[in-house]
Amino acid sequence: MNKNIKKSAAAVMVLGMTLTGAAGVFAGTQLEKISAYLNHGISFNVNGSAYTPTDGSGNKLAPITYNNSTYLPVRALADALHVPVSYDGKKGQVIIGEAANAELTSVSYSAAQKQAIQKAFAQFAGFETAYAPEQMIAGDTFKSVGAGGDGVNFVFAHMNVSISPKDYSFDYEGKTVTLANGVSAKWYTPSDTGMLTFKLDDRYVTLSSPDHKLTQAQLEQVAVNVNKLGSNSNNGSDQGIAAYADVNYNKSQVSAIQKAFAKFQGFETAYAPKHMVAGDQFKSVAAGGDGVSFVFNHMKVDVSPRDYAFDYDGKTVKLPNGVSAKWYTPDKTDMLTFQLDDRYVTLSSPDHSLTHAQLEQMAAAVQKLK
């Protein structure tokens, strides 16, 4: 979409915000009574198509005319333009566009919840393998899971995640984006709520925030962490796979990572492993050759513009996030390489402490450094 259109629309929407439902949360002393008119004589055309703004219940909305200025319904127009908008009641602040990425937290499914998830998937022949969101935005809560239609729906307090063999986004126009793990996804708006759909193995995953609490950027964060049930830390006892831990880089380490990537012209954007096997420890990062190397006690992660796997025979595998990767053995240590955006990531365990399955888990969590 034209960036100028978005900026202009956002500016108008800020003016119109006080006339939407968000106004009710302001303190009474901040409200000023005015005399305005609902203007039913104005129609809308968004990106070449007729558009009728509606509220969350599907009721038609009209713009308001006040002092020769027209004020538009901010939420409806934001959805039409795929511009996220939210309201922070504590700060009294309207947030238009992408907010800063929120902290993620693990979804810790209980034994009963895991069983409910597995039963939901088992209701569909050929679709029995259970998948689930493994992380959520901090402060959200997992509420329920159920089978319906031709898929499984996970309900959180501020998010829905649906997993189906059908691509419901196919019939809608939208915007294609690349998730942090390199997977292509599509934003579209079938009603008043933006939907994000991407393919994961033999199924399609769709995320949304019915109460509009999560921005597009936040939902894209969560999307990266939808995997087979039992493939990560929350389910370490399942399938013999070890638990993982978050790699919490401190400020000096973040600075060192950024400086390492900055040494390569055209390759300055920093990427880093976000997870490690529980009990491992990040030791150092350095630029060398034509890439950046992360060293852990039991793992090494190299990020380079060059595909070192190209000259070797190997075995192609699918990572938990659906990305294709290649196992090969140039010497005595197995290497796992996959393409991530404009670079190639290679993982190995020089001391042979980590299994293939564990390194594949870690590979799915290499992302842009935020």
Side-chain angles (χ1 to χ4, degrees), residues 52-271:
T52 300
T54 58
D55 63 17
S57 300
N59 300 313
K60 182 178 178 180
L61 297 173
I64 287 177
T65 296
Y66 173 68
N67 282 349
N68 296 320
S69 294
T70 299
Y71 296 79
L72 307 178
V74 61
R75 175 69 66 191
L77 191 59
D79 288 337
L81 296 175
H82 304 291
V83 178
V85 60
S86 57
Y87 180 74
D88 187 332
K90 293 182 179 179
K91 296 181 180 179
Q93 183 181 65
V94 176
I95 303 170
I96 294 177
E98 304 294 358
N101 285 352
E103 180 184 353
L104 293 181
T105 185
S106 297
V107 185
S108 299
Y109 298 107
S110 65
Q113 289 171 335
K114 290 180 188 177
Q115 186 177 32
I117 293 169
Q118 291 166 337
K119 285 183 177 179
F121 280 95
Q123 294 186 34
F124 303 96
F127 198 65
E128 295 91 348
T129 301
Y131 286 63
E134 295 173 339
Q135 294 195 323
M136 60 186 175
I137 297 298
D140 207 349
T141 305
F142 172 63
K143 299 175 68 177
S144 65
V145 62
D150 60 355
V152 176
N153 189 45
F154 293 80
V155 178
F156 291 76
H158 305 302
M159 173 179 72
N160 279 356
V161 179
S162 299
I163 303 176
S164 170
K166 181 178 178 181
D167 180 8
Y168 287 104
S169 73
F170 183 79
D171 294 327
Y172 295 95
E173 293 183 355
K175 175 186 176 183
T176 301
V177 296
T178 300
L179 302 180
N181 56 9
V183 171
S184 179
K186 179 180 177 181
W187 276 107
Y188 60 104
T189 309
S191 57
D192 68 328
T193 300
M195 304 282 189
L196 176 68
T197 293
F198 66 97
K199 188 174 183 182
L200 177 58
D201 297 337
D202 62 343
R203 57 204 68 198
Y204 293 88
V205 181
T206 299
L207 299 92
S208 63
S209 179
D211 63 0
H212 304 279
K213 294 292 186 182
L214 274 62
T215 67
Q216 290 186 357
Q218 291 166 350
L219 285 170
E220 289 173 14
Q221 281 183 272
V222 176
V224 172
N225 295 285
V226 178
N227 290 311
K228 288 181 181 178
L229 185 66
S231 66
N232 79 1
S233 63
N234 301 315
N235 309 291
S237 60
D238 296 336
Q239 303 178 4
I241 297 177
Y244 73 56
D246 292 333
V247 184
N248 296 312
Y249 301 105
N250 59 37
K251 288 184 178 180
S252 63
Q253 290 171 335
V254 170
S255 178
I257 294 169
Q258 292 170 333
K259 287 180 180 179
F261 279 94
K263 292 183 178 181
F264 301 95
Q265 186 174 2
F267 198 66
E268 294 91 348
T269 302
Y271 285 63

Side-chain angles (χ1 to χ4, degrees), residues 327-343:
W327 278 108
Y328 59 104
T329 309
D331 192 6
K332 296 180 180 180
T333 301
D334 291 345
M335 304 283 190
L336 176 68
T337 293
F338 65 97
Q339 186 171 357
L340 177 58
D341 298 336
D342 62 342
R343 57 204 67 199

